[in-house]
Amino acid sequence: MIYVHVPFCKSFCRYCDFYSELTCGKPEEYDAYIDEICAEARLRSGEIRESDEQLKTLYIGGGTPSVMPLRFFFDLKKALPEGPYREFTVEVNPDDIVGRGYEFVRMLREVGVNRVSMGVQSLDDGLLRWMGRRHDSAAARAAFQILRAGGIDNISLDIIFGIKGLTDEMLSRTLDGIVEMGPEHISAYQLSIEEGSQLAKDISEGKYEELPDGQCAAQYKLICERLREAGYRHYEISNWARAGREAVHNSAYWRRVPYVGLGPGAHSLERNVDDNAPGGLRDTRSWNSEALTGWTRSFEVLTPEEIREESIMLGLRTAGGIDAALVAGRKELPEGLISEDGRIRIPEDKWFVADSIIADLI
Ligand code: SF4
């Protein structure tokens, strides 16, 4: 399981605080980064092989991987241990797909990409402009057609809700448009205020007010209902899929399967057996520093209790829930949880308040 972070964007979105460098898209801007990430892939090939045994997934995220020259995809593929990857996802921006066209998608297929995740966010042009997205709704629709024509048969589209100014009618129109396109997978994220984003600054300057919780909950309910009617299975708080099209890579994160993260903003999860550690098992999490080249890795060792809590937090966000053994010491479970067949779950109608249920549990 490999995650590769591409730290470039052509513009910054109002709500985003991810580490990324502004780029104007000239191929030579990326040379140093490409050489460095390929060197890191070679250096960590043993680790990658070990973590990749079970799943064989590769996820290139960002930033905006679709701004990268084709050389990046081909060189990276050569530097990584042999595929083919069961799931090879690339995140794209609609504007890049429209600009680079069918031939770019065909080359992505040639390098082995079999899944694309596209940030549509909304099909309302006013809202897209406010978010600072560089595409409009027509570009999102056109990009989807280009991806299909280029042979991508597993597409995930992202949308955002919980925005002041997003009415139920606007959200319904976006959902109708998304369902009409017919992606295999949909992710819907509530707008969050990230420290360091333009949006956080807007709030501190009194230019934006957060949408009240009750209205966010109503929008989430609308999304759940509309996607259920359209035949999507809600398998994680923010994710819906057609049968059999659940994201393999992301689902493994939620089960805490070890993975290797490459690139300046990437995390890894490593599992080391250490006889001296309490419980005999330690998880080591590493992350790279935020620097375009010459990045270094820092480490954090998780205690068994931290591992247990993280497993509960991630598992309860999924339809499958957690093994009841993870909360075996508790006499009573907080309200809102279902216990059956040795598993504990939060039902879909309580997912919007999952964080507070989970907080009561751990
Ligand atoms: S949301 Fe994506 S495209 Fe927008 S600034 Fe963040 S990383 Fe870049």
Side-chain angles (χ1 to χ4, degrees):
M1 224 182 131
I2 309 161
Y3 173 79
V4 178
H5 180 229
V6 173
F8 299 103
C9 290
K10 280 192 182 162
S11 57
F12 291 143
C13 306
R14 185 179 294 270
Y15 49 83
C16 181
D17 75 334
F18 293 158
Y19 166 61
S20 200
E21 298 284 329
L22 206 56
T23 174
C24 53
K26 290 199 190 100
E28 60 274 18
E29 281 182 77
Y30 311 114
D31 285 349
Y33 163 81
I34 296 174
D35 293 346
E36 187 115 354
I37 198 129
C38 291
E40 191 188 9
R42 285 192 198 93
L43 194 71
R44 297 175 68 189
S45 61
E47 215 184 308
I48 293 171
R49 274 201 188 87
E50 217 171 281
S51 88
D52 217 26
E53 262 166 18
Q54 303 170 309
L55 282 179
K56 284 238 165 250
T57 62
L58 172 56
Y59 192 107
I60 305 183
T64 317
S66 53
V67 300
M68 296 303 283
L70 281 169
R71 167 171 107 79
F72 163 69
F73 299 96
F74 283 97
D75 286 6
L76 180 67
K77 180 88 182 299
K78 258 191 264 162
L80 288 169
E82 279 293 286
Y85 294 95
R86 171 180 169 193
E87 185 184 88
F88 181 172
T89 305
V90 173
E91 287 180 356
V92 304
N93 179 291
D95 200 41
D96 296 327
I97 297 300
V98 172
R100 301 179 78 170
Y102 166 82
E103 191 53 23
F104 174 62
V105 180
R106 204 183 63 74
M107 295 310 279
L108 289 181
R109 289 275 304 140
E110 194 172 312
V111 90
V113 173
N114 55 20
R115 183 172 185 270
V116 165
S117 172
M118 184 159 75
V120 170
Q121 316 311 8
S122 173
L123 292 174
D124 183 274
D125 288 337
L127 215 51
L128 286 171
R129 273 193 300 278
W130 176 82
M131 289 184 208
R133 300 291 297 176
R134 57 187 162 94
H135 67 274
D136 60 13
S137 58
R141 289 191 167 91
F144 190 89
Q145 296 307 325
I146 293 168
L147 290 170
R148 281 287 195 240
I152 304 291
D153 67 359
N154 196 359
I155 301 177
S156 179
L157 301 182
D158 286 1
I159 59 168
I160 298 182
F161 69 98
I163 306 169
K164 198 163 172 66
L166 171 67
T167 62
D168 287 356
E169 292 69 34
M170 284 155 78
L171 179 59
S172 285
R173 277 198 298 275
T174 287
L175 289 167
D176 287 348
I178 294 280
V179 166
E180 203 178 296
M181 283 190 240
E184 283 66 37
H185 189 278
I186 297 165
S187 301
Y189 299 105
Q190 184 178 342
L191 183 75
S192 59
I193 314 302
E194 306 297 340
E195 209 184 312
S197 66
Q198 177 59 44
L199 189 56
K201 196 160 168 261
D202 290 349
I203 290 182
S204 69
E205 290 171 359
K207 293 181 188 158
Y208 181 83
E209 268 173 42
E210 287 186 70
L211 196 67
D213 243 17
Q215 284 180 47
C216 293
Q219 292 188 354
Y220 184 67
K221 190 163 174 256
L222 181 68
I223 295 168
C224 294
E225 285 169 359
R226 184 71 187 89
L227 296 185
R228 188 185 316 118
E229 280 162 22
Y232 289 90
R233 177 174 170 260
H234 196 178
Y235 72 103
E236 196 265 355
I237 284 188
S238 308
N239 289 281
W240 288 257
R242 293 268 180 232
R245 296 307 188 108
E246 294 83 5
V248 178
H249 186 92
N250 288 347
S251 298
Y253 287 149
W254 305 324
R255 296 197 309 277
R256 300 189 78 262
V257 175
Y259 67 96
V260 174
L262 304 174
H267 285 245
S268 303
L269 182 69
E270 301 157 11
R271 198 156 291 161
N272 293 336
V273 175
D274 177 347
D275 287 339
N276 298 320
L281 187 69
R282 276 185 174 183
D283 274 20
T284 306
R285 178 179 291 159
S286 78
W287 60 94
N288 296 308
S289 55
E290 297 190 342
L292 202 48
T293 56
W295 54 81
T296 52
R297 293 166 68 207
S298 316
F299 292 86
E300 177 193 11
V301 177
L302 302 187
T303 64
E305 183 53 19
E306 284 169 330
I307 295 168
R308 189 186 73 91
E309 287 183 1
E310 207 173 83
S311 303
I312 292 172
M313 280 191 279
L314 292 169
L316 284 178
R317 294 172 62 90
T318 66
I322 56 168
D323 191 322
L326 277 171
V327 289
R330 282 195 68 118
K331 287 199 190 84
E332 266 179 47
L333 290 174
E335 212 179 309
L337 288 163
I338 294 175
S339 173
E340 59 189 4
D341 305 328
R343 297 202 67 80
I344 312 280
R345 291 186 301 107
I346 299 177
E348 188 196 30
D349 65 354
K350 301 258 178 354
W351 269 357
F352 189 77
V353 290
D355 286 350
S356 66
I357 297 174
I358 294 168
D360 284 347
L361 184 66
I362 57 181

